Amino acid sequence: MAVSRNRFLSVASCNPAASAGDRSLSHPEVLMKKPVGRRVAVSLSRFLSVLAFLGLASSHAESAPQPRAVFAEERFVRTTGAPDVYERTFTVPRYVSSSGLLRLVNGSPTGSPGSIPNAVSSASVLVDGREVISPSDLSKTVAVVERQIALSPGRHTLQVRLQSAPGSFLRLTVLGTVVLADLANARSGHTATVLLDGTVLISGGRGADGALASAEVLDPNTLSWNTLPNQMVSPRFEHAAAVAATGEPVLVAGQNNGAIVTSETFEPVGQGFSLLAVSLPVALAGHTATTLLDGRILVLGGLDGSGTPAADAFVLDPTPDPWSADLHDPRAATVKTLSQPLAVARSGHTATLLPTGEILVVGGRDSQGGLDSAELVDPATGRSTLLTARLAEARADHAAVLRPDGTVLGIGGRNARGVTVTMDIYYPVARTFSKAAA
């Protein structure tokens, strides 16, 4: 799985809690309690399929039309005997414009004039029963044929009929155009949370005038934004978000003229925000929030109210260690401070829920800079174990993805040289890391 960044990923944001000039993308993670995990997995899979369709490959500052394949390139080969007839279907999402392009590449073009190796001399292509390319459009010297076609949302049929020399072939692609909408409000340091219905909640962040209390919802079916009429109880940025067992996102701490201790929930049906009755024991920003298998939320690391790294805050402040792990249960509105928190002070890290129920905490930064260490937090015992294995290189403000085989892919971020394109893979059985091929 390779992940790159594009204009659509403006829902992720830069990290103001990092050092001056350090602006890298932060990626919130949404994991659910088992009873509702399947529903969320479907919603998250649906959202990720939209990201995959968009390609995640460009970096436009403004919205711009982007061509994407609605029918991925396929090779159609002539055999022998009666003409070969191939029938396919493809689906056009609602966020694709009505004008599409069918592109045919004939044989193996070399760029040289004359006969094209393996080219088809006669073929017809029909879309929804209408002939788009006729036999007279092709010959052994025609390399590429392109036709504008209408693309309405929904299911379409494609028929390819080949009558040519055996072994000849052509390749077909149908392209649509996606126009990405801008957020209603420019923001950074916000969170993006996938809701149970597949929509995406964008909450808070920092605008030109400071912390924002506004929120927006993205419909992945239409790629349209809807600004919520109800604002957050408290403006905040560099907060963390996780989804409770009820399906309600919980926005934890963050900054608003300094780090804050409050948290609030979003109710998707009424689309309103409510402040939780309890607060974290210390103010935090730049931390992580991960939903555990039992529905509680594990808050890890971050920066305290003064922006002081963990070790300094722990020594000088008699209050609970600002780098400790706090178990946040929004149902009972209680907070429990774990007695044995993270082994290493860190912010800008990732926290990934493993199938075992443990949390893999990777990288980040402390007062000395980037970290190449990782640790496993066991919520059942409240203990964190520092792994002996190290990352191939230190990284902070990166992303982490749990893969179907149980390994965890760490992607990009920042190291001592600046923004990095490298990736690490964590193997849970051996508890080791290896550098992934870019």
Side-chain angles (χ1 to χ4, degrees), residues 282-330:
V282 293
L284 287 177
H287 48 290
T288 57
T290 308
T291 306
L292 304 177
L293 296 179
D294 62 5
R296 293 180 299 168
I297 296 170
L298 182 67
V299 180
L300 292 169
L303 299 169
D304 69 3
S306 65
T308 306
D312 294 338
F314 182 75
V315 171
L316 299 175
D317 194 333
T319 60
D321 183 359
W323 298 93
S324 66
D326 293 316
L327 280 174
H328 204 317
D329 188 346

Side-chain angles (χ1 to χ4, degrees), residues 117-176:
N118 306 313
V120 171
S121 59
S122 178
S124 61
V125 178
L126 286 75
V127 176
D128 296 332
R130 184 177 67 87
E131 189 175 72
V132 177
I133 295 176
S134 65
S136 61
D137 293 325
L138 291 174
S139 71
K140 296 286 287 183
T141 60
V142 174
V144 177
V145 179
E146 294 184 339
R147 293 287 185 269
Q148 295 291 327
I149 60 174
L151 292 178
S152 59
R155 185 173 177 270
H156 296 264
T157 62
L158 178 71
Q159 185 186 84
V160 181
R161 182 184 178 91
L162 302 180
Q163 188 168 1
S164 186
S168 59
F169 64 88
L170 56 81
R171 289 168 287 157
L172 278 180
T173 309
V174 179
L175 299 172

Side-chain angles (χ1 to χ4, degrees), residues 231-405:
Q231 297 213 334
M232 296 159 55
V233 177
S234 175
R236 65 185 73 222
F237 64 94
E238 284 306 309
H239 52 291
V243 179
T246 59
E248 296 182 353
V250 181
L251 312 179
V252 182
Q255 292 197 56
N256 180 13
N257 295 320
I260 57 179
V261 298
T262 62
S263 300
E264 54 189 287
T265 60
F266 172 72
E267 202 283 299
V269 177
Q271 295 195 327
F273 294 88
S274 300
L275 197 65
L276 288 180
V278 298
S279 300
L280 296 180
V282 293
L284 287 177
H287 48 290
T288 57
T290 308
T291 306
L292 304 177
L293 296 179
D294 62 5
R296 293 180 299 168
I297 296 170
L298 182 67
V299 180
L300 292 169
L303 299 169
D304 69 3
S306 65
T308 306
D312 294 338
F314 182 75
V315 171
L316 299 175
D317 194 333
T319 60
D321 183 359
W323 298 93
S324 66
D326 293 316
L327 280 174
H328 204 317
D329 188 346
R331 295 164 300 179
T334 61
V335 175
K336 176 184 177 183
T337 300
L338 299 184
S339 58
Q340 294 180 308
L342 292 176
V344 176
R346 62 183 80 224
S347 66
H349 54 282
T350 54
T352 306
L353 178 66
L354 303 180
T356 60
E358 296 173 301
I359 309 297
L360 175 68
V361 180
V362 175
R365 61 171 63 83
D366 63 7
S367 59
Q368 304 302 313
L371 295 169
D372 63 357
S373 65
E375 47 192 298
L376 282 174
V377 179
D378 184 354
T381 63
R383 295 179 179 177
S384 184
T385 302
L386 186 65
L387 300 179
T388 55
R390 298 277 175 163
L391 303 175
E393 60 181 354
R395 67 178 71 237
D397 303 322
H398 52 289
V401 178
L402 177 66
R403 305 200 298 181
D405 62 1

Side-chain angles (χ1 to χ4, degrees), residues 76-114:
F76 299 93
V77 181
R78 172 72 174 115
T79 59
T80 58
D84 295 287
V85 178
Y86 296 89
E87 294 185 342
R88 301 288 186 267
T89 61
F90 62 94
T91 301
V92 176
R94 283 187 286 168
Y95 48 78
V96 171
S97 67
S98 59
S99 177
L101 176 71
L102 184 145
R103 190 171 194 269
L104 181 154
V105 178
N106 196 11
S108 306
T110 62
S112 302

